[in-house]
Amino acid sequence: MTQAFRIENGGLINRHKKLSFKFNGKTYLGYEGDTLASALLANGVHLVGRSFKYHRPRGFFGAGVDEPYAVVQLFRNGETEPNIKATEQELFEGLEAKSVNCWPSVNFDIGAINNFLKIFLPAGFYYKTFMWPKSFWYRIYEPFIRKAAGLGVASTKHDKERYEHKYEYCDLLIAGSGPSGLASAYAAAKNGAKVILAEDKPRFGGSLLTSDVNIGNQSGKDWADGIVAELKTMPNVVVKNRSQIFGYYDHNMLVMSEKVSDHLPSTKKYHPNKRLWYIRAKEVLISSGSIERPIVFGNNDTPGVMLSSAAKEYLKVYSVLVGRKPLVFTNNDSGYETAIEFKKHGVDPVVLDSRKNSESEIIDEAKNLGINIKNSYVVVAAQGYKKVKSADIASISEDKKQLGKIENIQCDCICVSGFWTPTIHLASQSGNKTKFKEEIDAFVTGQSKQNEITLGAANGVFSLEETLKTSFTAGSELSKKITENDNKIPIPNVVEKKSSQHDKFWCVPLPKGKNYKRFLDFQNDVAVSDVEIALREGYRSIEHVKRYTTLGMATDQGKTSNLNGLQLVSEIENKVVPAVGHTTFRPPYTPVSIGAIVGREVGKHSKPTRKSPMHSWHEKNNAVFVDAGVWLRPRYYKRGNENLFEGSKREAKNVRTNVGVCDVTTLGKIDIKGPDAAELLNRVYTNAWLKLPVGKARYGLMLREDGIVMDDGTTTRISENHYHMTTTTAQAANVLSHLEYYLQLVWPELNVNVVSTTEQWAGAAIAGPKSRDLLQKLFPNSDVSNEGLPFMGYMEGDLFGVKARIYRISFSGELAYEVNVESDYGNFMWEKIIEVGEEFNIQPYGTEALSTLRIEMGHVAGSELDGRTIPFDNALEGLVSKKKDFIGKRSLQRSAFIAKDRQRIVGVVPLDKQTSIPEGSHLVKDDKAPLPNPKLGHISASCWSVEYDNPFSLAILKDGKNMIGQKLFAMSPLKNKIIPVEIVSSHYVDPKGERVRS
Amino acid sequence: MLYINCPHCGMRSQNEFSYGGDASVKRPELNKEVSDQEWDNFVYNRKSLRGKHLELWQHISGCRQWIKVERDTATHEIFRTFKSDEEVA
Ligand SMILES: [Zn+2]
């Protein structure tokens, strides 16, 4: 394939490196330094997609971030990504892209029938058409819209790419590397400020890459290259290309997406695909430039109609002719600059200028070159379906209301310039009160809310000389405040051509008898007629018009459409534009990959993994792990071909008959010290704590102020003013914060310190009838008899030379102990217990057996203490002191909490003694009752009772206290089960609690 | 993301803190008769006002101190920050 539209010489592409790529299955050639758009245009490809609503053929409209049409599906190294702008995607060897929004192909698109069913899709069509009949939505409308619309397909595969996040701080963050960005960065850098300069394009320089100016006796581009080269050598400056600052958030936090690898065929090893920068800047300089705006005319969406600045960029940067017979349609001098470039490359353009007469250096140059200029002329309509073939043009009266006789003129592209719109998005996101500037018919920034300043074209200043002057000054003034250096930079002299006043003209009237579509928003297919309908139907607020018509709501956020939309509304409403006001700009300025936002926090990295010191032992002994919050805990230790049910049953049984050991390191532990420690516990727990002797543990229950149970656990008095508190694994962090809250804010007079020691202690629970015999062998010098270490007793011991803490507490309901040693000795302790325990037939047990043991004992845990239950619900009202006050006590008097039929924990056994009841099942009286079947309670936890060898569950049941012996049904629609059950006591095994005291 | 001046540690990003609600709420004293209305106001009723708001934050990934932050709920501007025991004038 030849690149028929590529000019022989010039441009900024690397002609030594040819690249081949595929578009819609066809292979083309381009050069290194091309974008996908410039390479396609070099090959004469103008048709890239179909429009969103009417599926009209769409080409290229811009050359960068403002592009509304050329959105493609990209394929790279086995991955695919939708919503990629061809004008931003750099070419690489082997690139593959496809058109979106067309089915079955870009050349023959079934959806284009919408174009002929206009009556079907006017403004508000989403709201009107698809509202009725209601049942049609799921079956007919939604699938139809989904098939016909959309901007590509998200990959369903796991994304192999890596995305990174980075936090950065700087004195000055500068968005955009055009003349104002470079000048301010340079001045600030010379004052020693820490500067980050961000450019979204691959090349630095902004408008200097395409404008015909001189700075300090060199071309604008050479000056820019020199400044960038020098900035890159300075240690206090970070210069980043391919980096888009897309969001301006509170307190001068900005977020930037750096495309690290998108321009390469595949990501390099150890490199991310994209890097998201969170930058906290003392000062922000916005030099984001301006975007040319279109003039609205008939069929202005035909491929071949594009911004004149884009045509110039394709020519000057990429050496690509967007046409050989160009028509330039302008209301200002910028169109002439494009015409001059065409002429210099041997192509004869025709210029239509809406102004009656205008004089400037630029126009003089065009005239001297012999360019055909027609004043007071406009394009009425583009002709051609998949590509511009000609244009209907006409003269226009001075009041812009009357068109002359329509003539047809041959052309293959129409380059439009409706003057410039400053890019104020970032300033607006920051909270800047923008204002309308009459001279340029656009909004500029006003009062800053944060430390931000907008410079150059982004601030509506289009003179290079003034831009450089203000930017050098701003850069040095702002940096001086921070670094207190004051290096004066001489401002270089500037040679630029002066332009004349633009014409306040933005929309060509319809000729009599014609009904051309005149588009405002090219990506969402919003035409002048749609906005007219919206206003006729009574929509007045610009925010409402936007939503009703979808004007400016596409992925380009109306970069080329907003102002023309405002002009239209203001004209019809007979208001001035500032009174209409613009819609709110919100981040992101450009689409950002979800992957970049998520960063490294995916899969295993979505949360930290915490492991106990005994983890490697568990691994070596075939533990099957389960996530317990961020901890990994053994669920059971697999023997042979055992499954979870068999393994956990064996382990639980062994605890009931011999002895088992369980890793309980994950339990939250808080060290509490100070003379008022007992008083704190007494206020925090529902039960009494003032009289707990040294060397004793007590079970405690903690409420929130609203009376709901927050957590439970045992706390041990180690010495006079020293307590060791345990919390559940899940609530460890919350309980610490809770204690700190009361100590620091509510009762600062209490002299107590709290600190988390969860990770300082390794814990092993030894449970079962033979646990005392084992303990005696582990601690031969300690008296661990029932008298020496009674239930809820505590002592310190010597475990083969390692200091240990021994607590006689039980979660399993068996005679049990918990041994703690410093974490580093955890594995030593564990191995000793296993080794010494061998003669007692010890087996390690996991969380599944642990659950089984506590459930059949009726001990509550997280599934009952679920943030919805009070002490009574858990049959723990005996722990609620009547004498003293504590956190949440007053709430327990709420009428719902003292209701006669208050919910309460019960045991549930299936009548057939066979069918396990799924957790979460609802308990109902009548399984045949019509829906919604009144729910009496729910199953909170289920196990297979090893004591009775049948299923057993715990439930929170309405009026549970009086329901023992009742027959109900457990219903699980999820598992499609209806199980007849009997309600029994929650204390299924050892109801008197004799074993723990034995 | 807010930038909060911890009176103990200095300027830190919001993601080091956790929010603790209205700092003007006073817990009724222990062992004191409290009416339903008074208790309701303490536990549930909050003003959710627009504008200047004194609120609690805990520097959870830092010094773990609870601090008071005077912030505008509409603009997110932070005016002053205080230690937990500092009087707010
Ligand atoms: Zn702090």
Side-chain angles (χ1 to χ4, degrees):
Chain A
M1 280 298 294
T2 53
Q3 300 178 42
F5 289 82
R6 186 86 69 179
I7 298 163
E8 295 264 324
N9 296 303
L12 305 177
I13 43 167
N14 177 11
R15 290 173 194 264
H16 301 296
K17 194 153 178 205
K18 270 193 184 160
L19 302 172
S20 85
F21 67 101
K22 267 189 187 170
F23 182 65
N24 284 336
K26 206 167 157 190
T27 303
Y28 300 94
L29 288 177
Y31 290 118
E32 189 179 76
D34 260 325
T35 60
L36 174 57
S38 67
L40 284 169
L41 285 168
N43 287 284
V45 178
H46 279 259
L47 180 63
V48 279
R50 293 278 176 164
S51 71
F52 192 69
K53 204 159 87 184
Y54 301 119
H55 289 235
R56 287 162 67 110
R58 288 293 155 88
F60 300 98
F61 194 71
V65 68
D66 49 333
E67 175 61 42
Y69 301 151
V71 172
V72 299
Q73 181 93 22
L74 189 78
F75 301 85
R76 173 178 170 273
N77 194 27
E79 302 277 339
T80 181
E81 199 175 341
N83 198 16
I84 299 292
K85 287 190 176 84
T87 52
E88 290 192 293
Q89 177 60 50
E90 291 173 66
L91 201 65
F92 54 78
E93 177 62 34
L95 180 150
E96 266 191 81
K98 277 187 183 149
S99 297
V100 297
N101 231 344
C102 49
W103 177 74
S105 83
V106 70
N107 272 301
F108 176 74
D109 177 12
I110 285 176
I113 201 155
N114 292 354
N115 198 17
F116 304 103
L117 292 174
K118 279 169 202 150
I119 193 102
F120 191 54
L121 301 165
F125 85 108
Y126 293 104
Y127 302 104
K128 287 181 209 158
T129 315
F130 299 125
M131 291 309 287
W132 49 264
K134 215 174 158 187
S135 61
F136 270 37
W137 176 252
Y138 294 106
R139 285 190 290 121
I140 295 166
Y141 296 141
E142 200 198 0
F144 168 74
I145 295 174
R146 284 206 185 278
K147 178 115 190 135
L151 295 167
V153 194
S155 172
T156 53
K157 286 194 308 184
H158 178 77
D159 190 350
K160 285 184 305 210
E161 297 282 344
R162 229 165 65 105
Y163 304 88
E164 283 178 357
H165 285 184
K166 183 178 166 71
Y167 289 82
E168 197 51 91
Y169 296 81
C170 66
D171 296 328
L172 272 80
L173 174 62
I174 296 165
S177 74
S180 56
L182 291 177
S184 49
Y186 190 73
K190 283 285 181 189
N191 269 347
K194 194 175 174 203
V195 174
I196 298 177
L197 174 65
E199 168 60 46
D200 69 312
K201 291 199 165 190
R203 296 176 184 85
F204 296 98
S207 63
L208 295 175
L209 295 175
T210 55
S211 58
D212 192 9
V213 294
N214 267 281
I215 305 174
N217 299 323
Q218 36 183 346
S219 77
K221 186 188 169 293
D222 288 347
W223 177 82
D225 288 348
I227 294 277
V228 170
E230 191 174 342
L231 287 173
K232 280 184 173 168
T233 64
M234 299 171 79
N236 54 325
V237 182
V238 174
V239 182
K240 279 281 160 193
N241 59 341
R242 301 189 177 99
S243 297
Q244 176 81 59
I245 297 174
F246 64 79
Y248 197 139
Y249 301 89
D250 288 314
H251 300 180
N252 263 28
M253 157 75 78
L254 291 95
V255 185
M256 173 169 96
S257 174
E258 179 191 2
K259 293 176 181 169
V260 182
S261 310
D262 280 351
H263 61 295
L264 302 170
S266 63
T267 306
K268 283 190 211 149
K269 203 173 182 188
Y270 307 124
H271 281 226
N273 177 285
K274 290 186 185 69
R275 187 179 288 127
L276 212 64
W277 295 55
Y278 293 87
I279 305 169
R280 189 81 69 175
K282 288 194 183 122
E283 301 284 344
V284 175
L285 286 158
I286 301 168
S287 46
S288 45
S290 55
I291 291 174
E292 201 166 22
R293 46 177 192 263
I295 303 175
V296 180
F297 56 87
N299 299 333
N300 54 338
D301 63 331
T302 311
V305 178
M306 69 167 66
L307 292 172
S308 100
S309 57
K312 190 173 78 170
E313 188 169 336
Y314 286 120
L315 203 44
K316 289 203 81 164
V317 175
Y318 305 102
S319 288
V320 170
L321 281 171
V322 297
R324 295 190 192 282
K325 254 196 250 166
L327 183 63
V328 176
F329 177 25
T330 188
N331 71 359
N332 70 98
D333 287 6
S334 298
Y336 288 87
E337 291 178 22
T338 305
I340 290 167
E341 282 306 319
F342 273 119
K343 186 73 182 177
K344 282 183 182 166
H345 287 94
V347 172
D348 274 322
V350 176
V351 176
L352 305 188
D353 189 333
S354 69
R355 296 173 294 183
K356 191 174 173 199
N357 44 38
S358 41
E359 276 178 30
S360 72
E361 287 178 68
I362 297 167
I363 297 172
D364 284 347
E365 189 185 349
K367 281 181 180 158
N368 290 339
L369 285 168
I371 292 173
N372 182 359
I373 300 167
K374 287 169 169 288
N375 281 100
S376 291
Y377 252 84
V378 296
V379 175
V380 175
Q383 297 295 347
Y385 184 56
K386 287 179 193 165
K387 177 75 198 294
V388 171
K389 291 200 176 104
S390 67
D392 289 345
I393 64 169
S395 63
I396 192 160
S397 62
E398 212 160 330
D399 66 359
K400 304 290 193 277
K401 297 228 157 71
Q402 303 299 319
L403 293 173
K405 192 172 162 288
I406 292 184
E407 310 155 39
N408 186 270
I409 176 171
Q410 296 293 304
C411 60
D412 60 358
C413 68
I414 303 174
C415 307
V416 201
S417 178
F419 207 52
W420 297 85
T421 306
T423 305
I424 56 167
H425 296 64
L426 282 179
S428 171
Q429 287 175 18
S430 149
N432 191 298
K433 287 257 173 291
T434 57
K435 58 183 189 223
F436 193 71
K437 195 171 171 186
E438 206 64 57
E439 302 96 276
I440 60 166
D441 287 327
F443 285 91
V444 292
T445 56
Q447 186 64 42
S448 306
K449 200 187 107 186
Q450 307 197 46
N451 293 343
E452 129 268 312
I453 176 173
T454 303
L455 297 168
N459 197 30
V461 176
F462 299 118
S463 142
L464 179 62
E465 194 172 1
E466 198 189 331
T467 291
L468 286 184
K469 218 171 80 193
T470 50
S471 304
F472 271 115
T473 310
S476 54
E477 289 299 318
L478 289 171
S479 54
K480 196 171 96 184
K481 276 200 310 190
I482 298 165
T483 66
E484 290 169 7
N485 292 332
D486 195 5
N487 286 319
K488 289 269 180 284
I489 311 279
I491 297 170
N493 52 319
V494 170
V495 182
E496 63 180 320
K497 295 198 185 82
K498 300 274 177 297
S499 2
S500 54
Q501 177 64 37
H502 79 285
D503 194 2
K504 292 176 182 296
F505 171 67
W506 58 277
C507 181
V508 180
L510 279 179
K512 277 209 179 64
K514 293 288 182 189
N515 201 16
Y516 299 123
K517 277 245 173 249
R518 292 172 299 168
F519 285 96
L520 290 166
D521 183 318
F522 301 104
Q523 202 178 66
N524 262 356
D525 275 3
V526 180
V528 171
S529 52
D530 292 314
V531 174
E532 286 168 348
I533 290 173
L535 290 165
R536 229 172 24 239
E537 292 184 0
Y539 291 89
R540 289 294 175 272
S541 153
I542 188 68
E543 295 282 359
H544 292 164
V545 172
K546 164 180 159 179
R547 281 157 183 82
Y548 195 57
T549 61
T550 72
L551 173 75
M553 283 176 69
T555 63
D556 68 341
Q557 285 201 6
K559 290 183 178 67
T560 52
S561 64
N562 281 337
L563 266 170
N564 284 337
L566 287 178
Q567 292 281 13
L568 178 61
V569 173
S570 69
E571 193 174 288
I572 297 172
E573 289 286 284
N574 232 336
K575 281 186 200 158
V576 285
V577 172
V580 175
H582 65 75
T583 55
T584 317
F585 295 111
R586 292 198 172 84
Y589 174 66
T590 49
V592 184
S593 295
I594 299 281
I597 293 168
V598 174
R600 295 283 286 133
E601 291 166 21
V602 287
K604 254 176 59 175
H605 299 292
S606 61
K607 52 184 173 33
T609 303
R610 296 174 78 179
K611 296 173 183 171
S612 95
M614 290 83 97
H615 188 82
S616 57
W617 189 95
H618 305 322
E619 270 179 333
K620 271 183 244 149
N621 289 274
N622 296 325
V624 177
F625 291 94
V626 62
D627 289 321
V630 292
W631 291 92
L632 268 185
R633 297 189 71 177
R635 195 168 186 189
Y636 73 109
Y637 300 80
K638 197 182 177 88
R639 284 191 180 176
N641 289 326
E642 266 179 353
N643 59 23
L644 171 68
F645 178 70
E646 294 157 353
S648 62
K649 211 163 111 176
R650 168 183 52 75
E651 291 170 5
K653 220 177 199 148
N654 191 58
V655 172
R656 292 266 185 256
T657 49
N658 296 308
V659 60
V661 59
C662 180
D663 186 347
V664 292
T665 302
T666 62
L667 276 188
K669 304 173 201 78
I670 298 170
D671 209 53
I672 302 176
K673 275 184 181 167
D676 296 322
E679 180 60 29
L680 173 71
L681 295 173
N682 209 44
R683 295 177 184 187
V684 164
Y685 282 128
T686 60
N687 45 340
W689 284 81
L690 296 179
K691 287 177 187 149
L692 181 72
V694 172
K696 278 284 193 182
R698 185 166 285 176
Y699 176 74
L701 194 65
M702 229 178 251
L703 306 188
R704 312 190 305 217
E705 291 285 16
D706 63 2
I708 299 292
V709 177
M710 181 177 182
D711 198 41
D712 68 342
T714 56
T715 292
T716 307
R717 192 167 194 177
I718 304 288
S719 65
E720 180 64 22
N721 294 326
H722 182 192
Y723 291 79
H724 172 82
M725 175 185 274
T726 65
T727 73
T728 58
T729 302
Q731 290 291 336
N734 290 342
V735 170
L736 183 66
S737 263
H738 180 74
L739 298 180
E740 287 166 336
Y741 175 90
Y742 283 94
L743 284 174
Q744 292 173 27
L745 293 161
V746 186
W747 304 311
E749 69 278 9
L750 292 185
N751 189 357
V752 184
N753 268 311
V754 292
V755 65
S756 165
T757 53
T758 301
E759 282 167 11
Q760 277 63 38
W761 296 101
I766 301 168
K770 295 182 187 165
S771 57
R772 183 179 292 126
D773 300 339
L774 168 59
L775 202 69
Q776 192 63 70
K777 288 223 158 173
L778 289 168
F779 299 96
N781 303 324
S782 303
D783 174 13
V784 299
S785 67
N786 203 20
E787 294 71 39
L789 183 58
F791 181 53
M792 298 309 260
Y794 162 79
M795 64 163 55
E796 279 158 26
D798 176 89
L799 182 76
F800 304 99
V802 173
K803 255 177 68 178
R805 289 176 169 185
I806 311 161
Y807 308 84
R808 186 169 165 193
I809 51 179
S810 174
F811 189 53
S812 56
E814 289 298 326
L815 172 65
Y817 303 86
E818 210 180 293
V819 182
N820 282 7
V821 294
E822 284 175 34
S823 291
D824 287 353
Y825 297 106
N827 209 45
F828 171 81
M829 164 183 71
W830 189 267
E831 286 179 347
K832 278 288 170 207
I833 292 171
I834 295 288
E835 182 192 316
V836 178
E838 207 170 337
E839 62 172 289
F840 306 104
N841 295 319
I842 196 167
Q843 286 180 21
Y845 63 103
T847 56
E848 197 70 18
L850 184 73
S851 289
T852 297
L853 297 167
R854 74 95 184 167
I855 292 169
E856 62 177 5
M857 282 286 174
H859 288 178
V860 293
S863 50
E864 288 77 36
L865 310 180
D866 64 354
R868 297 180 293 181
T869 56
I870 59 170
F872 178 88
D873 305 347
N874 296 292
L876 294 172
E877 68 276 14
L879 285 175
V880 178
S881 167
K882 294 211 168 58
K883 292 193 194 109
K884 57 142 198 176
D885 200 0
F886 53 86
I887 292 170
K889 184 177 192 182
R890 179 64 178 80
S891 288
L892 294 179
Q893 295 170 31
R894 282 178 53 182
S895 52
F897 289 176
I898 52 175
K900 285 257 177 315
D901 59 351
R902 179 73 200 173
Q903 63 179 11
R904 192 171 170 88
I905 188 167
V906 292
V908 180
V909 179
L911 293 187
D912 67 1
K913 302 260 172 126
Q914 282 301 317
T915 315
S916 287
I917 310 168
E919 289 174 352
S921 297
H922 282 192
L923 291 170
V924 300
K925 199 163 181 60
D926 175 6
D927 65 322
K928 305 261 175 358
L931 296 175
N933 196 340
K935 171 197 161 192
L936 301 177
H938 73 276
I939 301 292
S940 59
S942 288
C943 73
W944 189 275
S945 165
V946 289
E947 187 87 7
Y948 298 107
D949 204 27
N950 59 252
F952 176 72
S953 297
L954 292 175
I956 304 288
L957 179 63
K958 193 176 178 183
D959 198 19
K961 206 167 187 175
N962 299 311
M963 295 291 279
I964 309 294
Q966 297 265 353
K967 303 233 164 37
L968 297 174
F969 294 90
M971 297 184 71
S972 173
L974 277 178
K975 303 260 160 113
N976 201 19
K977 276 189 177 169
I978 299 172
I979 305 162
V981 297
E982 186 183 350
I983 305 303
V984 299
S985 161
S986 58
H987 299 290
Y988 199 40
V989 174
D990 188 25
K992 288 190 185 134
E994 285 161 349
R995 295 184 192 177
V996 291
R997 293 183 171 79
S998 63
Chain B
M1 204 187 320
L2 305 183
Y3 208 25
I4 300 171
N5 188 9
C6 172
H8 308 278
C9 310
M11 297 299 296
R12 298 300 179 94
S13 273
Q14 181 184 345
N15 51 2
E16 292 186 14
F17 294 84
S18 73
Y19 184 67
D22 190 343
S24 67
V25 175
K26 279 257 170 299
R27 191 192 191 282
E29 268 175 55
L30 288 168
N31 301 307
K32 207 188 102 190
E33 195 69 15
V34 184
S35 73
D36 283 353
Q37 189 56 53
E38 212 181 320
W39 189 254
D40 246 20
N41 286 342
F42 161 62
V43 177
Y44 298 105
N45 300 333
R46 296 293 179 269
K47 284 204 187 81
S48 187
L49 47 79
R50 180 190 168 88
K52 232 179 221 187
H53 186 231
L54 189 71
E55 56 202 16
L56 295 170
W57 290 78
Q58 189 183 14
H59 195 188
I60 201 142
S61 305
C63 61
R64 292 205 63 90
Q65 293 300 303
W66 285 90
I67 62 169
K68 294 178 206 165
V69 177
E70 190 178 55
R71 181 180 69 103
D72 190 307
T73 56
T75 65
H76 297 298
E77 187 178 349
I78 291 177
F79 307 100
R80 296 178 297 175
T81 55
F82 306 88
K83 292 179 184 170
S84 61
D85 57 354
E86 242 177 296
E87 277 303 312
V88 179

